[in-house]
Amino acid sequence: MSKEEFIEFEGVITELLPEGRFRVQLDNEHTILAYTAGRMKRNRIRSLVGDRVTVEMTPYDLEKGRITYRHKTEGPRMGGGQRRPPHRR
């Protein structure tokens, strides 16, 4: 493995933590601490408990990771109402 290679896993967010961190339960039953990638922050992609995500991890530390993708859900998201139309002057 080269230095730049990462390992990707899929999992579900189980807990929201302060400072943009999340506790993620991976498909292989391990629980890790993860943070959102810079591109997700820049595009304001929100993640909530129960969202399915892809996590990128380095082979040197398998307890921490970076959330790189939030998978789309089939149904409507909870807590959202109808979107407001854009403001017109």
Side-chain angles (χ1 to χ4, degrees), residues 43-59:
N43 293 323
R44 296 186 180 110
I45 297 173
R46 303 282 184 220
S47 300
L48 299 173
V49 173
D51 284 347
R52 187 147 188 80
V53 294
T54 300
V55 179
E56 192 175 80
M57 299 168 59
T58 178

Side-chain angles (χ1 to χ4, degrees), residues 40-73:
M40 289 183 66
K41 286 182 187 176
R42 187 173 59 220
N43 293 323
R44 296 186 180 110
I45 297 173
R46 303 282 184 220
S47 300
L48 299 173
V49 173
D51 284 347
R52 187 147 188 80
V53 294
T54 300
V55 179
E56 192 175 80
M57 299 168 59
T58 178
Y60 299 110
D61 187 7
L62 297 175
E63 297 295 319
K64 296 178 185 170
R66 176 174 53 222
I67 298 173
T68 56
Y69 187 78
R70 182 179 61 86
H71 297 277
K72 305 232 185 320
T73 57

